[in-house]
Amino acid sequence: MNLKDTGKTKEELKELYNTYFYETFKRFDFIADKGEGSYIIAEDGKEYLDFMAGIAVNSTGHCNERVAKAIAEQCQTMIHASNYCYTVPQVMLAELICKNIGMEKIYFQNSGAEANEAMIKLARKYGKDNFGPNRYKIVTASNSFHGRTLATLAATGQPGTAIQNNYDPFIPGFTYAEYNNLESFAAACDEDTIAVMVEPVQGEGGVIPATKEFLQGLRKLCDEKNMLLLFDEVQTGWGRTGSLMAYMDFGVKPDCVSMAKAMGGGMPIGAMCTSSKLALTFGPGAHGSTYAGNPVACAASYAQISEIIEENLSENSLKMGEYLRGLLAKLPCVKEVRGKGLMIGVEFTKDISNDVKYNAADEGLLITAVRPAVIRLVPPLNITESDCDKAFDILNNVVTKLV
Ligand SMILES: *Cc1c(COP(=O)(O)O)cnc(C)c1O
């Protein structure tokens, strides 16, 4: 369905939004009518270089041929059967994922928040099953983001922000410690703590990579205190940071990892994977979802992950990430360029990120603003040097005019 099919004008469509929609997002002023590779094409034919990739989702580009074909074919054979049935895409995907990231068990969900919710539930049940009724606390990081359901909001360390205001009381059992500060985490853990949960690179928090010492230190801390190490790789997973999972490059294996965003190529799917140590924690009736592991989403994910692996997109992410960071460092008013692979944050010396975002969109480049002074770039992983050059030229113009 695109604008032409409806017979409406763009203004009429926007009016319908105003009438019917809760506007929890401030939208760009165009209709995303068509996606093609690294570009979104608007209703008037204008092309936008998409360096937000649907919030780090379209890692193989828009409407990737292999993903689109897998979705179309699956839609003609089995769209939904429920988890009471064996279905082929689900188990093929389970094997593909577990084998490639060194995990033993998988549990499918429909989104990142749900994957984290499952991870939190698993950790709590593991704690109580094995160590008694008080062993359920989880320590997460300040400035983290783990999702918007009530439990994942409680895990999210952003008190006093629009994300959390007036949704309290939150479910108990979460405390926050300072990211990249091992002593802070060690101090926050007590005898009731069952798990530590962190993003290997904080995304919404401003694109802050963990240090190797921090993650390795957390692994050691968890081993010493019989706690679980939980990684939220909803944003970092599947090649984004230069390895299939960010933890593979840090050389730290978590007990459980969550994933979503890029894994489905645009279809809503999430998952958590665990080591065999947790295999017995979820038994019949312990958790469930009507749609999770839906055949169409799984077929799309199988195609997406196969494409990422076979086309070596992790490697391209590393290479292009380095190239792009080199360019971005030349922008005016830059305080720091940081990130890993193609998960990049640019911090300016002034609070201009929102202006940069909307002015760049006017010039044909899409990015996000994650902090008042920080923009985030998470382009498709198969971008080229010339895509990067183009993005830099637009940003350079925009920032120069602003400052
Ligand atoms: C986006 C994100 C989530 C939430 O995923 P949804 O699919 O939006 O529910 C959780 N954790 C991290 C690190 C994310 O980036």
Side-chain angles (χ1 to χ4, degrees):
M1 211 189 263
N2 59 26
L3 191 64
K4 264 202 236 95
D5 297 331
T6 66
K8 295 184 194 304
T9 66
K10 173 179 164 189
E11 292 314 313
E12 284 169 342
L13 197 92
K14 281 167 70 180
E15 197 47 44
L16 281 180
Y17 260 100
N18 287 337
T19 307
Y20 293 111
F21 244 73
Y22 277 115
E23 280 291 18
T24 55
F25 283 88
K26 184 171 179 315
R27 290 169 205 272
F28 293 117
D29 190 42
F30 63 86
I31 295 168
D33 244 356
K34 190 170 159 50
E36 218 175 82
S38 301
Y39 285 87
I40 286 181
I41 300 152
E43 79 292 342
D44 59 0
K46 184 169 170 183
E47 294 186 354
Y48 294 86
L49 183 57
D50 188 3
F51 270 39
M52 57 182 281
I55 320 185
V57 166
N58 300 306
S59 289
T60 60
H62 283 276
C63 297
N64 177 277
E65 218 178 295
R66 186 170 182 164
V67 175
K69 187 163 170 277
I71 294 171
E73 283 179 5
Q74 190 58 41
C75 284
Q76 310 206 313
T77 51
M78 173 57 72
I79 294 179
H80 179 76
S82 94
N83 283 312
Y84 285 110
C85 299
Y86 290 115
T87 51
V88 176
Q90 195 174 73
V91 72
M92 295 297 290
L93 178 61
E95 184 187 36
L96 180 72
I97 291 176
C98 288
K99 278 199 167 156
N100 275 289
I101 66 169
M103 284 290 174
E104 279 93 33
K105 288 275 177 189
I106 192 163
Y107 193 83
F108 288 117
Q109 295 280 260
N110 308 291
S111 67
E114 277 186 22
N116 284 334
E117 189 91 16
M119 187 155 78
I120 291 164
K121 286 179 75 175
L122 187 84
R124 279 193 171 193
K125 190 163 185 304
Y126 175 82
K128 293 190 177 216
D129 283 354
N130 292 285
F131 304 104
N134 295 326
R135 197 76 193 272
Y136 62 87
K137 290 188 185 167
I138 298 177
V139 178
T140 68
S142 298
N143 278 320
S144 56
F145 181 79
H146 296 298
R148 290 174 180 269
T149 63
L150 282 169
T152 56
L153 257 193
T156 291
Q158 299 192 39
T161 62
I163 295 177
Q164 292 188 326
N165 276 347
N166 282 355
Y167 294 116
D168 57 310
F170 294 112
I171 72 162
F174 291 93
T175 45
Y176 313 131
E178 193 188 333
Y179 194 68
N180 271 340
N181 182 338
L182 205 51
E183 285 91 65
S184 171
F185 267 81
C189 295
D190 62 26
E191 69 272 21
D192 295 334
T193 306
I194 187 56
V196 166
M197 175 172 174
V198 293
E199 301 154 84
V201 181
Q202 287 192 325
E204 306 304 306
V207 190
I208 320 266
T211 63
K212 209 171 196 158
E213 300 72 51
F214 175 59
L215 295 186
Q216 288 177 347
L218 285 184
R219 178 70 276 175
K220 201 161 154 258
L221 179 71
C222 288
D223 289 341
E224 282 165 9
K225 299 200 162 189
N226 268 323
M227 302 187 300
L228 301 171
L229 182 60
L230 317 177
F231 281 174
D232 176 347
E233 293 230 30
V234 169
Q235 190 162 154
T236 50
W238 296 113
R240 172 63 54 199
T241 64
S243 48
L244 283 184
M245 287 290 137
Y247 68 74
M248 296 166 91
D249 182 50
F250 282 104
V252 177
K253 194 182 165 190
D255 299 294
C256 183
V257 60
S258 61
M259 60 191 74
K261 291 201 164 91
M263 85 181 273
M267 292 297 284
I269 184 171
M272 60 145 197
C273 278
T274 75
S275 62
S276 51
K277 166 170 155 183
L278 288 154
L280 297 177
T281 303
F282 276 176
H287 197 25
S289 161
T290 301
Y291 292 116
N294 164 281
V296 182
C298 286
S301 180
Y302 190 89
Q304 171 86 345
I305 289 173
S306 302
E307 180 88 353
I308 289 170
I309 293 170
E310 287 167 30
E311 298 298 317
N312 258 326
L313 294 189
S314 307
E315 213 177 291
N316 198 56
S317 174
L318 264 191
K319 221 167 78 192
M320 288 302 116
E322 203 176 303
Y323 181 72
L324 185 54
R325 281 199 299 274
L327 291 175
L328 294 169
K330 299 178 194 153
L331 288 174
C333 270
V334 166
K335 187 172 169 198
E336 187 185 29
V337 177
R338 55 182 180 247
K340 225 170 138 50
L342 281 172
M343 184 167 175
I344 299 176
V346 180
E347 179 161 359
F348 296 105
T349 51
K350 296 178 184 164
D351 288 354
I352 52 171
S353 68
N354 253 308
D355 291 332
V356 173
K357 171 180 155 183
Y358 288 106
N359 294 358
D362 288 342
E363 303 297 320
L365 173 72
L366 305 181
I367 52 162
T368 57
V370 283
R371 281 287 178 267
V374 184
I375 57 166
R376 173 182 51 182
L377 293 85
V378 280
L381 304 183
N382 52 11
I383 53 164
T384 60
E385 285 190 1
S386 83
D387 291 328
C388 297
D389 294 340
K390 187 170 171 188
F392 171 72
D393 287 343
I394 293 175
L395 282 175
N396 199 25
N397 276 336
V398 164
V399 180
T400 304
K401 273 188 212 153
L402 269 174
V403 296

